[in-house]
Amino acid sequence: MSETPDSAVRTYTEQHRAAFLDDLAEWLRIPSVSAQPEHDGDVRRSAEWLAAKLKETGFPVAEVWETPGAPAVFAEWPSDDLGAPTVLVYGHHDVQPAAREDGWTTDPFEPVVRDGRMYGRGAADDKGQVFFHTLGVRAHLAATGRTAPAVHLKLLIEGEEESGSLNFRALAEQHADRLAADAVIVSDTGMWDEETPTVCTGMRGLVECEIELYGPDQDIHSGSFGGAVPNPATEIARLVAALHDEDGKVAIPGFHEGVTDLTDTERALFAELPFDEATWLRTAKSRAASGEAGYSTLERVWARPTAEVNGIGGGYQGAGSKTVIPSSAMVKISFRLVDEQDPDRVAEAVRAWVASRVPAGVRHRITFQPATRPCLTPLDHPALQAVVRAMGRAFGKKILFTREGGSGPAADLRDVLGAPVLFLGISVPSDGWHAPDEKVELGLLMKGVETTAYLWDEMAAALGR
């Protein structure tokens, strides 16, 4: 059983709620937009603000770590308990670009509270979800009478997540000894909705490429040469048409290496969620569901690998007609990966597939972007069950399970540190990540505080040696 009294946690968090929200608002006023060079100084100021606040919280170690890009923040608070497990919390302090003219009701970097919500860029993604750990650990100490957490607690808060985490893996490898942990908590995720608390158990990986085909050395007359030389635009269309088989499954040989099918238990857990396809389609601004045969919509989005055309072009695009065979054509494709799919092997499979389908007389070039590996937490892992118990105590409800169709740097931490990754977030779809009027529900934010107050005893019990 956990040592943290629930009533003491709730009393402490309520007493310190106002000061906590004032501090969060102060942090949100720093426009730490990593994608815009004019905000480089603000990203650094954000890192320095957080390091100082973590020191004030009680972390004996709080440092700004340099990278070739934006700085990260590392903090550490050793446990007094011999044999206590080590837990690393990941998040990010940079934010998406935002301006009033984008459609914001108020200044995106002047947070306001309306109707139980705090509006401001970063309120949910991800400053609010990073910051609830500060009050959570203080509530944990106050409720238990401890002078240090029940686990050896570390934080790594990066500054480039919103611009691709280009330097993150190298940073993790450089500091692998100091980051060593028995489990990683990622607080950069969300829940199903306001009434349905959930724990995410996985994120898909990502491989992106651009395929360019080259035929004639210049555009040529389709009457003089059409039907007698290869057309790059036609060949791009054939490539796209061959991406999937008749059941909607990706048809590239070798692509599915490492993919396992869902178990009956996993499918049953997905089915417990209050999913309404009509509502989902309205959110998707679409009129019908589609995808790989034999799988539900949630299974397709969360647990199946995909290939999607992100852009395609070639030849004349202007008004009217221009009867040419174009000299080149291109397509941009993104592949979402699951389970143990390896991005390097997927890239090799794509290269081989394209080479096998390009006809004589057509040259090709494939350019890949930096890849992200998929990340999946086993449902029976003790650390995951600790997260579920802590959330259950905070919300007073059964905790359901989700995955996310997107990607993030979590797998880098799993690979570098050899530790399981768990996801703990309280954001909901209506929070509007990356959109105008981003907000966080203050009631849920305080549930995040409460969850982390319970979490460290739960993790100590689950992982203690």
Side-chain angles (χ1 to χ4, degrees), residues 276-332:
D276 179 76
E277 190 159 281
T279 301
W280 180 86
L281 282 170
R282 285 194 294 272
T283 302
K285 303 294 189 289
S286 300
R287 294 165 181 79
S290 180
E292 188 175 354
Y295 297 91
S296 70
T297 296
L298 289 182
E299 290 167 356
R300 291 167 179 164
V301 173
W302 290 345
R304 295 301 298 168
T306 62
E308 292 294 343
V309 174
N310 309 129
I312 187 169
Y316 181 64
Q317 305 289 324
S321 64
K322 185 179 182 184
T323 54
V324 297
I325 296 172
S327 64
S328 65
M330 55 72 64
V331 63
K332 295 177 182 286

Side-chain angles (χ1 to χ4, degrees), residues 197-268:
T198 54
V199 171
C200 176
T201 61
M203 287 187 175
R204 292 194 293 187
L206 175 64
V207 171
E208 299 174 273
C209 72
E210 180 174 345
I211 303 169
E212 299 166 281
L213 299 188
Y214 302 92
D217 291 338
Q218 64 182 39
D219 290 358
I220 57 177
H221 194 289
S222 66
S224 300
F225 303 102
V229 296
N231 184 320
T234 300
E235 297 308 326
I236 279 289
R238 286 179 173 145
L239 273 180
V240 170
L243 265 177
H244 302 89
D245 65 18
E246 60 185 11
D247 291 324
K249 183 177 180 179
V250 179
I252 297 173
F255 176 79
H256 287 84
E257 181 179 341
V259 178
T260 58
D261 211 347
L262 286 164
T263 65
D264 291 342
T265 298
E266 289 169 326
R267 289 189 131 170

Side-chain angles (χ1 to χ4, degrees), residues 13-35:
T13 56
E14 188 57 35
Q15 289 173 342
H16 293 82
R17 172 187 171 119
F20 166 75
L21 295 179
D22 286 345
D23 284 342
L24 176 57
E26 181 179 322
W27 195 19
L28 295 179
R29 292 188 183 99
I30 302 175
S32 49
V33 182
S34 62

Side-chain angles (χ1 to χ4, degrees), residues 25-282:
E26 181 179 322
W27 195 19
L28 295 179
R29 292 188 183 99
I30 302 175
S32 49
V33 182
S34 62
Q36 297 177 331
E38 62 266 30
H39 286 294
D40 287 353
D42 294 315
V43 179
R44 178 166 298 280
R45 187 156 58 96
S46 172
E48 292 170 348
W49 185 96
L50 177 59
K53 188 58 63 174
L54 291 172
K55 278 277 194 180
E56 182 183 313
T57 296
F59 283 84
V61 174
E63 304 168 351
V64 175
W65 281 1
E66 301 297 336
T67 78
V73 175
F74 173 77
E76 185 172 15
W77 197 336
S79 176
D80 292 334
D81 296 349
L82 294 177
T86 299
V87 180
L88 173 69
V89 173
Y90 165 86
H92 63 91
H93 67 92
D94 64 320
V95 299
Q96 281 280 312
R100 183 70 181 270
E101 54 267 28
D102 296 337
W104 286 76
T105 304
T106 55
D107 186 331
F109 295 106
E110 187 51 54
V112 297
V113 173
R114 298 193 305 269
D115 302 322
R117 304 174 177 108
M118 180 177 285
Y119 291 84
R121 179 58 89 217
D125 181 22
D126 182 37
K127 288 180 178 178
Q129 301 202 94
V130 167
F131 203 57
F132 68 54
H133 286 278
T134 62
L135 183 53
V137 71
R138 286 163 50 202
H140 164 68
L141 299 179
T144 60
R146 291 178 174 273
T147 58
V151 299
H152 188 116
L153 184 59
K154 301 178 182 180
L155 273 66
L156 178 62
I157 312 302
E158 74 157 313
E160 296 183 307
E161 196 275 344
E162 298 292 10
S163 52
S165 298
L166 296 180
N167 297 292
F168 183 72
R169 187 177 181 107
L171 180 73
E173 290 172 343
Q174 178 186 351
H175 297 287
D177 289 347
R178 294 191 68 184
L179 295 172
D182 297 296
V184 176
I185 299 289
V186 173
S187 283
D188 184 24
T189 185
M191 306 193 312
W192 180 261
D193 61 26
E194 290 86 341
E195 302 300 324
T196 313
T198 54
V199 171
C200 176
T201 61
M203 287 187 175
R204 292 194 293 187
L206 175 64
V207 171
E208 299 174 273
C209 72
E210 180 174 345
I211 303 169
E212 299 166 281
L213 299 188
Y214 302 92
D217 291 338
Q218 64 182 39
D219 290 358
I220 57 177
H221 194 289
S222 66
S224 300
F225 303 102
V229 296
N231 184 320
T234 300
E235 297 308 326
I236 279 289
R238 286 179 173 145
L239 273 180
V240 170
L243 265 177
H244 302 89
D245 65 18
E246 60 185 11
D247 291 324
K249 183 177 180 179
V250 179
I252 297 173
F255 176 79
H256 287 84
E257 181 179 341
V259 178
T260 58
D261 211 347
L262 286 164
T263 65
D264 291 342
T265 298
E266 289 169 326
R267 289 189 131 170
L269 289 172
F270 285 2
E272 285 188 49
L273 293 162
F275 177 70
D276 179 76
E277 190 159 281
T279 301
W280 180 86
L281 282 170
R282 285 194 294 272

